[in-house]
């Protein structure tokens, strides 16, 4: 069978790498892919991003299964387009993808279905938003309503920061987010203002087939740019799996109080969810999880360590998930995981996240971690790279994700940073403390 992975980041490289290990797969195509997927013999890049063109290409090339990585094609309706032509694809429809693409939709959904989340209100009028912030006090959180590539959230520690964020998002409309339509069908800037939650974050990711839920291994991301969780928010600077903060008790609560009511609620609302469902959790001191956000896709970089630990054939899992009918057969699947810890360190470009510089040459990816050996204990997944006349160059903010397995978090850390030490490009930035919350004492 031929398989198509849509996207071009580290998440898609890791998914394509895993799919290519299946004996059932002839070729894995990645659209548009990156410099890493261009060099792997088992993968082939396809330079298409338009949803209709992708579907036409997939039909012409007899693609038996398509997997969607990023949120943008999902919100553009790629799943609806493929399904309308009888093609097998794993991901949510455009309507279901609103769980991520509209904060106003997902907050109202959670309120309606009693799913634990921060209390909030939604505004398009700046004056009303300012008045609300004055009434509630700081710290408080201001979120743009549309997709903003991880940049649409301001955790305001002071009232002044909150007021500034409101003006920035509503008055100046300066974020460049894709606005969602208001009640009259016209796109308007909107913000969600919500209660500040304290605790430890974790990424809780499951697969859904319209009805059945299959949880993946737990993981934790590092959203801030600098060591010690300082500096601006990013798409994610590193991740590891499993995440000890998700104890069996927290896991059970997240399933019972968040994931299952969400899947049921979507079914009840007539927009059944299929695809990866990612709940960003905030877990308080007493072990109570609340939902910070939903994503309707895998996390990046969480996917890289999770795929390194997955032992089950991913093609089998996805075929069960996309079984034709009212819902899939994920209830018949059991996932096997490597017992070791996997840990991924993101190497980012000079100027990331605001103004990543492109063009710097990347060198030093060591043999073994370059996909010549699937049993290797380290793998360097590519994201913002491109291959130009045989030279690997930086082409995006997050450039590589160096991922390693180890018997403990410390050992996985040690191995990952050993490989990081071999790699060089001008202006390379990375955190030295990935996994710090799991290394206690
Ligand atoms: P989001 O895109 O909604 O996950 O927000 C990005 C990041 O902002 C999260 O990973 C949290 O670190 C932080 N954040 C979002 N909402 C809240 C909240 N209500 N309280 C505290 N921190 C938050
Ligand atoms: N790593 C966070 C995300 O994928 O949204």
């Amino acid at each position: 069978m031929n398989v198509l992975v849509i996207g071009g980041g580290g998440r898609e490289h890791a998914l394509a790498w895993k799919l290519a290990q299946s004996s059932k797969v002839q070729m894995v195509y990645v659209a548009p892919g990156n410099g890493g997927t261009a060099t792997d013999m088992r993968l082939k890049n396809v330079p298409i991003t338009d949803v209709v063109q992708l579907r036409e290409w997939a039909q012409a090339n007899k693609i038996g299964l398509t997997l969607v990585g990023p949120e943008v094609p999902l919100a553009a309706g790629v799943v609806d387009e493929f399904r309308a032509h009888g093609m097998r694809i794993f991901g949510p429809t455009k309507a279901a993808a609103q769980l991520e693409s509209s904060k106003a939709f997902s907050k109202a959904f959670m309120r309606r279905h009693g799913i634990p989340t921060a209390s909030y209100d939604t505004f398009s009028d700046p004056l009303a938003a300012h008045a609300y912030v004055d009434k509630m006090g700081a710290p408080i959180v201001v979120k743009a309503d549309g997709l903003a590539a991880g940049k649409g959230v301001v955790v305001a520690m002071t009232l002044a920061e909150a007021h500034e964020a409101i003006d920035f998002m509503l008055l100046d409309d300066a974020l460049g987010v894709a606005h969602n339509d208001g009640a009259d069908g016209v796109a308007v800037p909107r913000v969600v203002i919500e209660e500040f939650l304290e605790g430890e974050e974790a990424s809780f990711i499951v697969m859904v087939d319209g009805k059945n839920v299959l949880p993946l291994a737990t993981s934790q991301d590092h959203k801030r740019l600098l060591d010690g969780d300082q500096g601006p928010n990013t798409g994610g600077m590193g991740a590891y799996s499993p995440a000890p903060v998700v104890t069996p008790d927290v896991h059970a609560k997240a399933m019972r109080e968040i994931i299952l009511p969400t899947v049921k609620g979507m079914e009840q609302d007539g927009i059944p969810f299929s695809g990866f469902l990612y709940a960003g959790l905030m877990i308080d001191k007493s072990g109570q999880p609340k939902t910070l956000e939903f994503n309707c896709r895998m996390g990046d970089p969480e996917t890289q360590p999770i795929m390194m630990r997955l032992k089950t054939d991913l093609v089998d899992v996805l075929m069960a998930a996309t079984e034709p009918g009212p819902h899939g057969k994920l209830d018949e699947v059991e996932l096997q995981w490597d017992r070791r810890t996997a840990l991924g360190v993101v190497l980012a470009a000079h100027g990331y996240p605001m103004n990543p510089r492109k063009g710097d040459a990347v060198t030093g990816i060591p043999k073994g971690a370059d996909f010549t050996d699937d049993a290797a204990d380290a793998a360097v997944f590519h994201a913002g790279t491109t291959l130009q006349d045989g030279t690997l160059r930086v082409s995006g903010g997050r450039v590589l994700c160096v991922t390693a397995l180890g018997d403990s978090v410390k050992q996985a850390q040690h191995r990952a940073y050993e490989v990081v030490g071999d790699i060089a490009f001008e202006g390379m930035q990375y955190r030295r403390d990935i996994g710090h919350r799991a290394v206690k004492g």
Side-chain angles (χ1 to χ4, degrees):
M1 176 170 45
N2 289 327
V3 178
L4 171 63
V5 176
I6 297 178
R11 165 183 49 212
E12 289 76 29
H13 190 184
L15 291 168
W17 166 78
K18 186 69 204 166
L19 288 165
Q21 288 169 27
S22 171
S23 59
K24 296 168 187 94
V25 164
Q26 197 170 1
M27 180 60 80
V28 179
Y29 294 92
V30 191
N34 56 42
T37 55
T39 42
D40 191 320
M41 300 296 290
R42 297 166 303 181
L43 312 177
K44 215 177 169 104
N45 286 353
V46 180
I48 304 177
T49 51
D50 176 76
V51 162
V52 175
Q53 283 178 24
L54 271 172
R55 189 265 303 159
E56 287 168 353
W57 180 92
Q59 278 181 310
N61 288 274
K62 308 220 165 3
I63 298 296
L65 175 69
T66 300
L67 178 57
V68 191
E71 61 275 23
V72 170
L74 291 168
V78 71
V79 169
D80 310 67
E81 173 69 22
F82 273 59
R83 284 207 192 137
H85 291 81
M87 304 202 63
R88 218 155 161 146
I89 185 165
F90 187 63
T93 59
K94 179 176 179 164
Q98 286 180 97
L99 268 186
E100 172 168 4
S101 64
S102 169
K103 298 259 187 215
F105 174 91
S106 71
K107 293 297 285 190
F109 174 87
M110 286 190 266
R111 183 177 278 175
R112 197 160 65 240
H113 293 283
I115 293 159
T117 188
S119 62
Y120 78 103
D121 221 324
T122 307
F123 301 91
S124 50
D125 171 16
L127 286 179
H130 286 300
Y132 183 77
V133 160
D134 282 330
K135 188 177 95 193
M136 303 308 282
I140 194 158
V141 182
V142 184
K143 302 185 174 187
D145 181 44
L147 289 179
K151 294 176 294 189
V153 175
V154 173
V155 179
M157 298 317 286
T158 63
L159 280 178
E161 283 173 81
H163 289 303
E164 192 190 344
I166 291 167
D167 285 343
F168 186 70
M169 292 182 197
L170 281 184
L171 272 186
D172 308 339
D173 192 8
L175 256 185
V177 303
H179 297 308
N180 294 302
D181 291 349
D184 53 3
V186 177
V188 283
R190 248 186 318 195
V191 292
V192 165
I193 302 182
E194 68 176 36
E195 171 197 2
F196 172 78
L197 298 177
E198 264 176 299
E200 188 169 346
E201 287 182 53
S203 308
F204 199 91
I205 309 175
V206 302
M207 294 176 73
V208 187
D209 66 6
K211 182 184 177 75
N212 304 296
V213 176
L214 185 65
L216 300 183
T218 60
S219 60
Q220 191 174 51
D221 184 15
H222 300 60
K223 293 241 166 78
R224 303 293 195 100
L225 181 69
L226 305 173
D227 286 3
D229 298 319
Q230 302 295 309
N233 259 318
T234 70
M237 293 300 290
Y240 63 98
S241 169
V245 64
V246 185
T247 60
D249 182 53
V250 171
H251 196 284
K253 282 196 178 116
M255 284 296 284
R256 193 172 61 234
E257 297 172 17
I258 296 170
I259 299 293
L260 296 175
T262 298
V263 173
K264 243 202 182 86
M266 292 295 278
E267 221 182 334
Q268 277 168 7
D269 292 354
I271 32 177
F273 190 94
S274 49
F276 292 105
L277 178 63
Y278 165 159
L281 303 182
M282 185 69 91
I283 302 157
D284 73 11
K285 279 205 185 74
S286 72
Q288 183 61 46
K290 283 191 177 172
T291 318
L292 284 177
E293 62 164 347
F294 282 120
N295 296 313
C296 57
R297 52 172 175 81
M298 285 285 283
D300 190 339
E302 292 93 325
T303 303
Q304 291 85 317
I306 290 174
M307 283 301 123
M308 272 201 89
R309 292 187 59 220
L310 180 64
K311 288 179 152 179
T312 316
D313 187 326
L314 184 57
V315 172
D316 290 340
V317 184
L318 291 168
M319 289 307 276
T322 55
E323 187 78 31
H327 56 77
K329 292 196 172 155
L330 279 178
D331 52 331
E332 295 176 8
V333 178
E334 207 176 311
L335 299 177
Q336 305 292 327
W337 300 100
D338 194 314
R339 299 179 69 85
R340 290 175 290 177
T341 293
L343 183 142
V345 179
V346 168
L347 307 183
H350 175 85
Y352 179 74
M354 292 317 275
N355 291 301
R357 185 174 71 202
K358 297 180 182 174
D360 296 306
V362 181
T363 59
I365 297 174
K367 268 250 156 312
D370 61 353
F371 306 101
T372 43
D373 173 12
D374 285 333
D377 65 353
V380 180
F381 295 108
H382 291 234
T385 68
T386 175
L387 201 59
Q388 277 175 7
D389 304 323
T391 303
L392 195 64
R393 293 193 184 277
V394 172
S395 66
R398 291 187 293 176
V399 180
L400 300 168
C401 182
V402 177
T403 312
L405 287 163
D407 287 326
S408 63
V409 181
K410 265 211 162 106
Q411 286 180 30
Q413 235 179 10
H414 180 80
R415 181 74 184 112
Y417 281 107
E418 203 171 61
V419 175
V420 168
D422 290 338
I423 300 174
F425 55 86
E426 208 58 54
M428 179 167 114
Q429 314 184 63
Y430 63 94
R431 280 180 62 161
R432 270 86 178 159
D433 66 347
I434 300 304
H436 70 100
R437 286 179 190 277
V439 189
K440 298 228 167 78

